[in-house]
Amino acid sequence: MTAWVPLGFPDIRPGADLGATVLEVLARNDLRPQPGDVLVLAQKVVSKAEGAVVQLAEVTPTARAEQLAREAEKDSRLCQVILAESRQILRIRPGLIIAEHRLGFICANAGVDFSNVGLGTDWVTLLPRDPDQSASRLRERIAQAHGVEVAVIINDTHGRPWREGAVGVAIGIAGLEPIYSYIGQEDRYGYVLHSSIESVADELAAAASLLQGQAAEGTPLVVIRGARFTPGGGRTRLLREPERDMFR
Amino acid sequence: MTAWVPLGFPDIRPGADLGATVLEVLARNDLRPQPGDVLVLAQKVVSKAEGAVVQLAEVTPTARAEQLAREAEKDSRLCQVILAESRQILRIRPGLIIAEHRLGFICANAGVDFSNVGLGTDWVTLLPRDPDQSASRLRERIAQAHGVEVAVIINDTHGRPWREGAVGVAIGIAGLEPIYSYIGQEDRYGYVLHSSIESVADELAAAASLLQGQAAEGTPLVVIRGARFTPGGGRTRLLREPERDMFR
């Protein structure tokens, strides 16, 4: 398995044609997509291209946002944006809000983020409106330009219970079954596996995250070749149903 | 970044010299370790080589294990082994026990597992007694044989709250700082990051897990070259202190 980080990814502004940008960057790096490649693109550039950005100066906080801001010791306008992006707030402590995003992801600040926005100090990015669709559009664009079927993952880094540090996870998926089930397969000694399922999409997202960086690297695109995955799938399906989640 | 899966990894029995085995497998695959390589080895072969295996026929369940077995609808001898490996049991439902392992990992069955044991149907593997030390020993063995400093990760696949599927995580680490902190770095636009920390070791473990498989693949070793990580570190330090963990 090889993962490349094409260089020279340009600054992305709202309204940018992300598909064209990815094609240009691949071409400039002499990287011709092959069938079975996985393209992993950082959420931040997708959000920016799609205009999923908000200027806090334009936001008027509600009383609920003011209350959240006091509990979390954060800007009340930021809290208003977080509330608007959330189904529910799960945990609060000074400096930290863990929310269930309207798409089901459970992460800090419902994915609302100040870093690498590039529009001014009071601008934040939101998660893309429909990251599976964002992934799907990029996948179609590659198919049109190169005539090959690749998989596309939009990734973000999320913190986790129990373990320190954030890791890359898949928040949008196209052309790949996110889950690989070993259930019913025999192990090396004939024992039939009955519970092993693996989140291939999240593992690919984590592998890409190793190479993307989160500061000034300017490398939001990773191309992974030689990974084993099942084509197809499409929608994320990586979210545990609340009733099956013992840690809510 | 490139990840190789050396082929021909032999069956591992209790008492096997794992260091010698890894060196042989690398040589057979013409893979000469380079400084900065990360070797990722699946927990299962480490446990087996170190004799971290138990035959259930030899286990006498306590009353507590009998009670746990009723609640979880599992073998009471298995439950006895799980209890012996655990600091505490966090969640129980039919078919599933989530435990805090004596080393702090929170995972299904405290890491006690029936798959790929190869000693008989009533044998299970435990996690290695001290996986950081297991990693360290392999690292020293590579240094002795090849005169190069590599990093070593022992990985396992753990389920997660909120998200479907298990992913590879690092349970033993040598020669690498498990966490990379971006705090204080500037993003592409001069914004100073104040909360981004990434679990590089877990992302490497996840990338390797993509290639190892969990059934009959017989490929527990992965060599990753070209990953960006900070040498040093050593002990795992990936476990969130309970008082900082809002999801206990």
Side-chain angles (χ1 to χ4, degrees):
Chain A
M1 182 175 86
T2 304
W4 290 276
V5 186
L7 300 178
F9 206 96
D11 194 23
I12 294 293
R13 315 279 300 180
D17 182 341
L18 199 57
T21 304
V22 166
L23 290 170
E24 276 167 34
V25 170
L26 291 173
R28 194 178 312 149
N29 285 268
D30 278 329
L31 257 171
R32 197 182 164 75
Q34 302 291 321
D37 282 358
V38 184
L39 270 61
V40 187
L41 198 56
Q43 159 268 323
K44 192 63 55 75
V45 293
V46 179
S47 293
K48 285 164 69 179
E50 295 179 358
V53 292
V54 171
Q55 184 174 21
L56 295 187
E58 304 287 315
V59 175
T60 307
T62 58
R64 198 175 155 219
E66 300 278 10
Q67 173 60 29
L68 178 58
R70 278 189 295 274
E71 287 182 53
E73 299 175 9
K74 285 181 180 281
D75 186 305
S76 59
R77 301 164 308 168
L78 174 66
C79 289
Q80 177 58 41
V81 180
I82 291 169
L83 285 171
E85 287 289 289
S86 300
R87 278 187 200 152
Q88 60 172 320
I89 304 296
L90 294 180
R91 300 285 193 283
I92 307 167
R93 71 160 188 234
L96 185 59
I97 296 169
I98 306 285
E100 180 181 359
H101 184 267
R102 59 183 165 73
L103 294 174
F105 309 116
I106 295 174
C107 56
N109 301 330
V112 179
D113 189 12
F114 281 105
S115 72
N116 278 309
V117 188
L119 298 168
T121 52
D122 72 335
W123 287 81
V124 292
T125 48
L126 318 176
L127 296 191
R129 199 71 358 212
D130 182 344
D132 284 328
Q133 197 179 78
S134 310
S136 196
R137 270 199 300 270
L138 181 55
R139 181 167 186 265
E140 281 161 26
R141 198 69 177 266
I142 304 283
Q144 282 163 15
H146 290 281
V148 296
E149 301 278 326
V150 300
V152 173
I153 292 173
I154 313 293
N155 73 342
D156 194 5
T157 49
H158 288 178
R160 311 163 288 172
W162 314 330
R163 295 183 72 85
E164 291 289 351
V167 295
V169 296
I171 66 162
I173 298 167
L176 151 151
E177 284 292 344
I179 290 286
Y180 183 80
S181 174
Y182 287 94
I183 295 171
Q185 290 189 39
E186 290 186 358
D187 75 4
R188 203 166 176 178
Y189 309 99
Y191 171 78
V192 178
L193 301 171
H194 61 277
S195 65
S196 304
I197 69 165
E198 192 156 351
S199 175
V200 175
D202 279 342
E203 293 187 327
L204 287 161
S209 185
L210 277 169
L211 300 172
Q212 288 165 328
Q214 293 185 47
E217 298 84 351
T219 48
L221 175 64
V222 173
V223 179
I224 300 177
R225 186 165 296 164
R228 183 173 46 180
F229 67 87
T230 310
R235 300 206 60 84
T236 307
R237 290 204 303 275
L238 281 173
L239 300 170
R240 214 175 263 278
E241 292 299 320
E243 60 271 22
R244 293 192 51 240
D245 192 334
M246 304 189 291
F247 290 91
R248 285 285 177 130
Chain B
M1 181 175 85
T2 304
W4 290 275
V5 187
L7 300 177
F9 206 97
D11 193 25
I12 294 292
R13 315 282 298 183
D17 182 341
L18 199 56
T21 303
V22 167
L23 289 170
E24 276 168 35
V25 170
L26 291 173
R28 195 177 312 150
N29 286 268
D30 277 329
L31 256 171
R32 196 180 163 76
Q34 302 291 319
D37 283 357
V38 183
L39 270 62
V40 187
L41 198 56
Q43 160 269 322
K44 192 63 53 76
V45 293
V46 178
S47 293
K48 285 163 69 179
E50 296 180 357
V53 292
V54 171
Q55 184 173 22
L56 296 186
E58 303 287 315
V59 175
T60 307
T62 58
R64 199 176 155 217
E66 300 278 11
Q67 174 59 30
L68 179 58
R70 277 189 295 273
E71 286 182 55
E73 298 174 10
K74 284 180 180 282
D75 186 305
S76 59
R77 299 164 309 167
L78 173 66
C79 289
Q80 176 61 38
V81 178
I82 292 169
L83 285 171
E85 287 289 289
S86 300
R87 279 186 199 152
Q88 60 173 319
I89 303 298
L90 294 179
R91 299 286 192 281
I92 307 167
R93 73 160 186 234
L96 184 60
I97 297 169
I98 306 285
E100 179 181 358
H101 184 268
R102 61 186 163 71
L103 295 174
F105 308 116
I106 295 173
C107 56
N109 302 331
V112 179
D113 189 12
F114 281 105
S115 73
N116 278 309
V117 187
L119 298 168
T121 53
D122 72 335
W123 287 81
V124 292
T125 48
L126 318 177
L127 297 191
R129 199 75 350 216
D130 182 345
D132 284 329
Q133 196 180 77
S134 309
S136 196
R137 269 198 301 269
L138 181 55
R139 181 167 186 264
E140 283 162 25
R141 199 71 178 266
I142 303 285
Q144 284 164 14
H146 290 280
V148 296
E149 301 279 325
V150 299
V152 173
I153 292 173
I154 312 293
N155 74 342
D156 194 5
T157 50
H158 289 178
R160 309 161 292 170
W162 314 330
R163 295 182 73 84
E164 292 289 350
V167 295
V169 295
I171 65 162
I173 298 168
L176 151 150
E177 284 292 345
I179 291 286
Y180 183 80
S181 172
Y182 288 93
I183 294 171
Q185 290 189 37
E186 290 186 0
D187 76 3
R188 205 166 174 178
Y189 309 98
Y191 172 79
V192 178
L193 301 172
H194 60 278
S195 64
S196 304
I197 68 166
E198 190 157 352
S199 176
V200 174
D202 279 342
E203 292 186 329
L204 287 161
S209 186
L210 277 167
L211 300 172
Q212 287 165 328
Q214 294 186 47
E217 296 85 352
T219 48
L221 175 65
V222 173
V223 179
I224 301 178
R225 185 165 298 165
R228 183 173 45 179
F229 68 87
T230 309
R235 299 204 60 83
T236 307
R237 290 204 304 275
L238 281 174
L239 300 170
R240 216 175 262 277
E241 293 298 321
E243 60 271 21
R244 292 190 55 242
D245 192 334
M246 303 189 291
F247 290 90
R248 286 287 178 128

